[in-house]
């Protein structure tokens, strides 16, 4: 383990000086250089190009071109941006489309999958999954008359997903396996290829939520034989608050699945205004209504930046930075009562590191209020430190650890109540 990594500030600066991706930080709005932003896993920073693109789409395309803009690029935007995201996740250009929120996209694909697996009674997931995903899965089962039941397999330590138990549970009764590839609290990351292979051996489908993986892991959905996936674009893709999600359906499955919310944008020819719904051929059938054009336009520059950086280089830097953070935790923060609530093994870890502490919530408050550090907090005691390699520097990580150390050694957290604010 990297216990030998030096803990001095000069080492962090040296790493930044040798980092090929470091110049990309200049592509982002960094309004306050003293603010350490470690929440790019919840809301990515604003790209400078996005600010320009947003102005252009509002002032020129909407303001001047008006309705004509639909034929000058807007209509194709969900598929065109989907094709770019496809390059980031190892999918074919015609397998990805961007339209609704992650939750809505998940509902559509879960119902579509459960519908074609109606003779199989079980939906498998885990208790590290994002609760909203569990609500959606339950809602999908309810929608189909509750012939299928959600079975939530427990993690043994709250950090690692129950991979072995899942593999053992997949059988002829399994309709669907639905998991977050990278889990939101600990960043534990499943082996997509292994689970998909096992599911396919038994005729089950797999639906991945890539929200904490897309834009920061080297994904290859096609190589893994993945069936279905959804993912968030306002986290590591820097798409902006509420940016719509992407959904992926393997080409061979597209013609077999029905969109449970059929609407005119998923119709074969929307502008024929046919009274009978005929689904579009291909991924377009999973669209429903008019897509959010302003948000779609705003997400493109962030995706372009990731494509320019190359996702393998982004993953390599992310791993190096989470290793660095864990090494600083071990040497500086563990003696102060912090626990590591993320996998130690880099191959099992996404791009954030969760640190636990019995006064975690109050420490989090003190970091935000007094230390100019923005992490986020997830119950019961996780301070999540998100690494977004396009703009997180090694110096940011060093500073964050140093300020965490100060909050505890100077007991700055003691004046904060243990009661949470509305959004953590
Ligand atoms: C962020 C996230 C979501 C967000 O869903 P929305 O519908 O965009 O609010 C869903 N699932 C997971 C796993 C997430 O991390």
């Amino acid at each position: 383990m990297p216990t030998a990594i030096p803990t001095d500030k000069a080492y962090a600066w040296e790493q930044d000086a040798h980092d090929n991706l470091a110049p990309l930080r200049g592509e982002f709005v960094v309004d306050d250089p003293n603010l350490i932003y470690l929440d790019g896993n919840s809301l990515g920073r604003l790209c400078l190009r996005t600010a320009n693109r947003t102005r252009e789409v509002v002032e020129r395309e909407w303001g001047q071109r008006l309705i004509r803009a639909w034929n000058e690029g807007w209509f194709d935007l969900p598929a065109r941006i989907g094709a770019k995201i496809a390059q980031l996740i190892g999918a074919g250009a015609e397998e990805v489309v961007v339209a609704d929120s992650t939750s809505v996209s998940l509902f559509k694909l879960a119902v579509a999958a459960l519908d074609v697996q109606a003779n199989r009674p079980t939906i498998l997931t885990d208790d590290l999954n994002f609760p909203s995903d569990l609500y959606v899965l339950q809602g999908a089962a309810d929608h189909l008359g509750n012939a299928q039941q959600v079975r939530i397999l427990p993690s043994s330590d709250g950090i690692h997903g129950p991979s072995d138990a899942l593999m053992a549970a997949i059988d002829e009764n399994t309709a669907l396996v639905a998991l977050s590839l990278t889990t939101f609290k600990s960043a534990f990351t499943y082996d997509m290829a292994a689970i998909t292979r096992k599911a396919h051996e038994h005729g089950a489908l797999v639906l991945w939520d890539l929200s904490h993986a897309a834009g920061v892991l080297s994904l290859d959905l096609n190589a893994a034989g993945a069936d279905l996936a959804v993912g968030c674009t306002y986290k590591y893709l820097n798409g902006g608050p509420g940016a719509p999600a992407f959904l992926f359906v393997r080409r061979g499955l597209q013609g077999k699945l029905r969109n449970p919310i059929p609407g005119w944008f998923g119709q074969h020819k929307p502008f024929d205004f046919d009274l009978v719904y005929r689904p579009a051929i291909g991924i377009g059938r999973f669209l429903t209504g008019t897509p959010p054009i302003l948000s779609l336009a705003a997400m493109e520059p962030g995706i372009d930046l990731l494509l320019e950086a190359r996702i393998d280089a982004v993953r390599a830097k992310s791993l190096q930075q989470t290793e660095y953070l864990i090494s600083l935790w071990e040497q500086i923060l563990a003696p102060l009562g912090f626990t590591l609530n993320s996998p130690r093994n880099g191959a099992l870890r996404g791009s954030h590191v969760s640190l636990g502490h019995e006064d975690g919530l109050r420490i989090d408050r003190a970091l935000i209020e007094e230390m100019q550090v923005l992490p986020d907090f997830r119950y019961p005691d996780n301070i999540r430190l998100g690494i977004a390699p396009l703009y997180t520097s090694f110096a940011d990580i060093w500073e964050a650890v140093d300020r965490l150390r100060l909050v505890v050694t100077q007991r700055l957290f003691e004046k904060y109540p243990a009661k949470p604010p509305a959004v953590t």
Side-chain angles (χ1 to χ4, degrees):
M1 289 317 295
T3 42
I5 293 180
T7 58
D8 60 313
K9 193 171 184 174
Y11 177 83
W13 285 27
E14 213 176 286
Q15 297 308 300
D16 285 328
H18 292 122
D19 169 21
N20 291 332
L21 297 184
L24 288 173
R25 185 178 169 101
E27 296 277 347
F28 291 87
V29 174
V30 180
D31 175 56
D32 175 357
N34 193 39
L35 178 76
I36 307 297
Y37 190 63
L38 295 176
D39 211 359
N41 55 324
S42 272
L43 177 66
R45 276 188 186 273
L46 171 63
C47 309
L48 293 170
R49 296 183 210 171
T50 305
N52 292 331
R53 177 70 187 112
T54 303
R55 205 169 300 118
E56 181 185 60
V57 71
V58 170
E59 292 177 2
R60 192 180 66 79
E61 296 181 15
W62 179 13
Q64 298 170 11
R65 300 307 297 161
L66 290 162
I67 196 81
R68 291 169 292 191
W70 277 106
N71 282 325
E72 295 168 358
W74 288 357
F75 192 74
D76 300 326
L77 217 44
R80 200 164 61 72
I81 294 184
K84 288 189 175 185
I85 292 173
Q87 293 178 52
L88 290 176
I89 62 173
E94 287 165 8
E95 294 179 312
V96 180
V97 76
V98 185
D100 306 294
S101 68
T102 311
S103 305
V104 170
S105 303
L106 189 72
F107 180 80
K108 286 177 170 182
L109 294 191
V111 171
L114 294 176
D115 200 19
V116 294
Q117 299 276 62
N119 53 343
R120 291 166 170 255
T122 310
I123 304 161
L124 292 176
T125 186
D126 69 7
D127 69 351
L128 299 184
N129 207 345
F130 195 55
S132 179
D133 289 31
L134 300 180
Y135 312 154
V136 166
L137 292 175
Q138 187 58 56
D142 290 347
H143 176 78
L144 293 170
N146 275 314
Q148 290 151 315
Q149 295 214 325
V150 182
R151 190 174 153 209
I152 303 172
L153 298 178
S155 159
S156 57
D157 60 359
I159 296 174
H160 297 83
S163 299
D164 293 343
L166 269 163
M167 293 291 255
I170 295 171
D171 62 18
E172 270 48 41
N173 289 323
T174 311
L176 183 67
V177 182
L179 297 165
S180 289
L181 180 68
T182 297
T183 62
F184 80 106
K185 264 189 205 171
S186 73
F188 169 80
T189 299
Y190 279 104
D191 182 339
M192 178 187 282
I195 289 182
T196 304
R197 201 177 315 118
K198 174 79 178 176
H200 287 180
E201 278 167 24
H202 296 276
L205 292 170
V206 187
L207 170 51
W208 295 103
D209 188 327
L210 306 178
S211 290
H212 281 279
V216 80
L217 291 190
S218 299
L219 300 175
D220 195 337
L221 268 67
N222 285 162
D227 300 310
L228 303 160
V230 299
C232 196
T233 63
Y234 50 79
K235 293 169 180 165
Y236 295 109
L237 302 190
N238 306 307
F246 64 88
L247 64 80
F248 159 90
V249 180
R250 173 160 59 79
R251 183 187 297 273
L253 268 182
Q254 290 172 3
K256 299 184 181 132
L257 300 187
R258 283 195 310 169
N259 180 349
I261 318 177
W264 69 315
F265 267 71
Q267 156 77 344
H268 180 57
K269 287 192 174 152
F271 289 91
D272 282 0
F273 295 105
D274 199 333
L275 294 185
V276 179
Y277 178 79
R278 260 200 308 151
I281 295 166
I283 191 73
R285 69 175 52 196
F286 295 99
L287 295 177
T288 297
T290 308
I293 296 298
L294 301 184
S295 296
L296 275 160
M299 79 169 65
E300 190 166 14
I303 295 163
D304 286 342
L305 262 186
L306 278 163
L307 290 171
E308 288 163 31
R310 306 197 68 86
I311 199 70
D312 291 347
V314 173
R315 170 60 174 164
K317 179 174 171 183
S318 159
L319 259 182
Q320 199 192 344
Q321 290 191 306
T322 53
E323 288 290 343
Y324 177 54
L325 175 49
I326 289 171
S327 173
L328 294 180
W329 158 76
E330 184 171 52
Q331 298 176 77
I332 297 167
L333 298 177
L336 299 177
F338 287 92
T339 55
L340 178 64
N341 291 355
S342 289
R344 190 79 202 234
N345 176 354
L348 302 181
R349 190 170 68 233
S351 199
H352 64 266
V353 172
S354 284
L355 298 180
H357 193 286
E358 59 180 359
D359 290 306
L361 183 63
R362 302 162 84 195
I363 293 169
D364 185 69
R365 291 311 308 156
L367 277 179
I368 296 167
E369 303 293 341
E370 297 180 42
M371 283 286 157
Q372 299 260 76
V373 179
L374 289 185
D376 65 15
F377 186 82
R378 290 293 177 264
Y379 275 97
D381 64 347
N382 293 287
I383 298 171
R384 282 198 314 189
L385 305 171
I387 305 287
L390 294 190
Y391 51 79
T392 302
S393 64
F394 287 85
D396 282 342
I397 295 168
W398 187 89
E399 275 292 341
V401 170
D402 197 51
R403 295 180 200 185
L404 267 167
R405 178 183 65 79
L406 285 172
V407 165
V408 175
T409 55
Q410 301 186 0
R411 308 202 71 76
L412 299 177
F413 63 87
E414 284 182 339
K415 61 173 157 304
Y416 296 95
K419 189 179 167 309
V423 176
T424 56

